[in-house]
Short mmCIF file of all heavy atoms in Angstrom, two decimals:
data_model
loop_
_atom_site.label_atom_id
_atom_site.label_comp_id
_atom_site.label_asym_id
_atom_site.label_seq_id
_atom_site.Cartn_x
_atom_site.Cartn_y
_atom_site.Cartn_z
N LEU A 171 7.85 32.66 -19.87
CA LEU A 171 7.71 33.79 -18.94
C LEU A 171 7.70 33.34 -17.49
O LEU A 171 8.41 33.89 -16.65
CB LEU A 171 6.43 34.58 -19.25
CG LEU A 171 6.12 35.74 -18.31
CD1 LEU A 171 7.14 36.85 -18.48
CD2 LEU A 171 4.70 36.26 -18.55
N LEU A 172 6.90 32.34 -17.16
CA LEU A 172 6.78 31.92 -15.76
C LEU A 172 8.11 31.46 -15.17
O LEU A 172 8.51 31.96 -14.12
CB LEU A 172 5.71 30.83 -15.61
CG LEU A 172 5.52 30.40 -14.16
CD1 LEU A 172 4.09 30.65 -13.72
CD2 LEU A 172 5.89 28.96 -13.99
N PRO A 173 8.85 30.55 -15.82
CA PRO A 173 10.14 30.16 -15.24
C PRO A 173 11.10 31.35 -15.12
O PRO A 173 11.80 31.46 -14.11
CB PRO A 173 10.69 29.11 -16.22
CG PRO A 173 9.49 28.58 -16.92
CD PRO A 173 8.53 29.73 -17.00
N SER A 174 11.11 32.23 -16.09
CA SER A 174 11.99 33.40 -16.01
C SER A 174 11.59 34.32 -14.87
O SER A 174 12.44 34.80 -14.12
CB SER A 174 11.99 34.18 -17.33
OG SER A 174 12.55 33.40 -18.35
N ALA A 175 10.29 34.56 -14.72
CA ALA A 175 9.80 35.45 -13.67
C ALA A 175 10.05 34.86 -12.28
O ALA A 175 10.19 35.60 -11.30
CB ALA A 175 8.31 35.72 -13.86
N MET A 176 10.13 33.54 -12.19
CA MET A 176 10.34 32.87 -10.90
C MET A 176 11.80 32.44 -10.69
O MET A 176 12.11 31.83 -9.67
CB MET A 176 9.43 31.65 -10.81
CG MET A 176 7.96 31.98 -10.80
SD MET A 176 6.90 30.51 -10.69
CE MET A 176 7.16 30.05 -8.97
N ASN A 177 12.66 32.75 -11.64
CA ASN A 177 14.06 32.33 -11.58
C ASN A 177 14.18 30.80 -11.44
O ASN A 177 14.93 30.28 -10.64
CB ASN A 177 14.82 33.03 -10.45
CG ASN A 177 16.32 32.83 -10.56
OD1 ASN A 177 16.86 32.69 -11.66
ND2 ASN A 177 17.00 32.80 -9.43
N VAL A 178 13.40 30.10 -12.25
CA VAL A 178 13.41 28.65 -12.28
C VAL A 178 14.05 28.22 -13.59
O VAL A 178 13.57 28.57 -14.66
CB VAL A 178 11.97 28.08 -12.14
CG1 VAL A 178 11.96 26.58 -12.37
CG2 VAL A 178 11.39 28.42 -10.78
N LYS A 179 15.13 27.49 -13.49
CA LYS A 179 15.86 27.02 -14.66
C LYS A 179 15.58 25.52 -14.88
O LYS A 179 15.04 24.84 -14.01
CB LYS A 179 17.37 27.21 -14.45
CG LYS A 179 17.78 28.62 -14.05
CD LYS A 179 17.78 29.56 -15.22
CE LYS A 179 18.31 30.92 -14.88
NZ LYS A 179 17.38 31.87 -14.35
N ASN A 180 16.01 25.02 -16.01
CA ASN A 180 15.88 23.60 -16.30
C ASN A 180 16.51 22.80 -15.16
O ASN A 180 17.66 23.06 -14.79
CB ASN A 180 16.57 23.28 -17.63
CG ASN A 180 16.24 21.89 -18.12
OD1 ASN A 180 15.08 21.57 -18.27
ND2 ASN A 180 17.26 21.08 -18.35
N GLY A 181 15.76 21.87 -14.60
CA GLY A 181 16.27 21.05 -13.51
C GLY A 181 15.92 21.57 -12.12
O GLY A 181 16.15 20.89 -11.13
N ASP A 182 15.36 22.78 -12.03
CA ASP A 182 15.06 23.37 -10.71
C ASP A 182 13.75 22.88 -10.11
O ASP A 182 13.62 22.82 -8.88
CB ASP A 182 14.97 24.90 -10.81
CG ASP A 182 16.34 25.57 -10.86
OD1 ASP A 182 17.35 24.91 -10.58
OD2 ASP A 182 16.37 26.77 -11.17
N ALA A 183 12.74 22.59 -10.93
CA ALA A 183 11.41 22.32 -10.40
C ALA A 183 10.67 21.30 -11.27
O ALA A 183 10.95 21.16 -12.46
CB ALA A 183 10.60 23.61 -10.34
N LYS A 184 9.72 20.64 -10.65
CA LYS A 184 8.77 19.82 -11.37
C LYS A 184 7.62 20.75 -11.72
O LYS A 184 7.04 21.39 -10.83
CB LYS A 184 8.25 18.67 -10.50
CG LYS A 184 9.32 17.66 -10.15
CD LYS A 184 9.82 16.98 -11.40
CE LYS A 184 10.87 15.93 -11.09
NZ LYS A 184 11.39 15.33 -12.31
N ILE A 185 7.30 20.87 -13.00
CA ILE A 185 6.24 21.77 -13.42
C ILE A 185 5.10 20.96 -14.03
O ILE A 185 5.30 20.22 -15.00
CB ILE A 185 6.75 22.83 -14.42
CG1 ILE A 185 7.86 23.67 -13.75
CG2 ILE A 185 5.60 23.72 -14.89
CD1 ILE A 185 8.49 24.72 -14.65
N ILE A 186 3.93 21.11 -13.43
CA ILE A 186 2.71 20.43 -13.87
C ILE A 186 1.82 21.49 -14.49
O ILE A 186 1.66 22.58 -13.91
CB ILE A 186 1.99 19.77 -12.68
CG1 ILE A 186 2.92 18.82 -11.94
CG2 ILE A 186 0.72 19.06 -13.15
CD1 ILE A 186 2.43 18.45 -10.55
N LYS A 187 1.23 21.20 -15.63
CA LYS A 187 0.37 22.18 -16.29
C LYS A 187 -0.98 21.57 -16.62
O LYS A 187 -1.06 20.41 -17.02
CB LYS A 187 1.01 22.69 -17.57
CG LYS A 187 2.25 23.51 -17.34
CD LYS A 187 2.77 24.08 -18.63
CE LYS A 187 3.89 25.06 -18.33
NZ LYS A 187 4.01 26.07 -19.35
N ASN A 188 -2.01 22.38 -16.47
CA ASN A 188 -3.34 22.01 -16.93
C ASN A 188 -4.13 23.30 -17.18
O ASN A 188 -3.61 24.40 -16.99
CB ASN A 188 -4.05 21.07 -15.95
CG ASN A 188 -4.53 21.73 -14.67
OD1 ASN A 188 -4.32 22.91 -14.43
ND2 ASN A 188 -5.18 20.96 -13.83
#
Side-chain angles (χ1 to χ4, degrees):
L171 177 68
L172 182 120
S174 294
M176 295 180 74
N177 192 31
V178 172
K179 307 283 186 273
N180 191 56
D182 282 347
K184 294 296 182 183
I185 300 178
I186 304 163
K187 293 185 172 207
N188 73 357

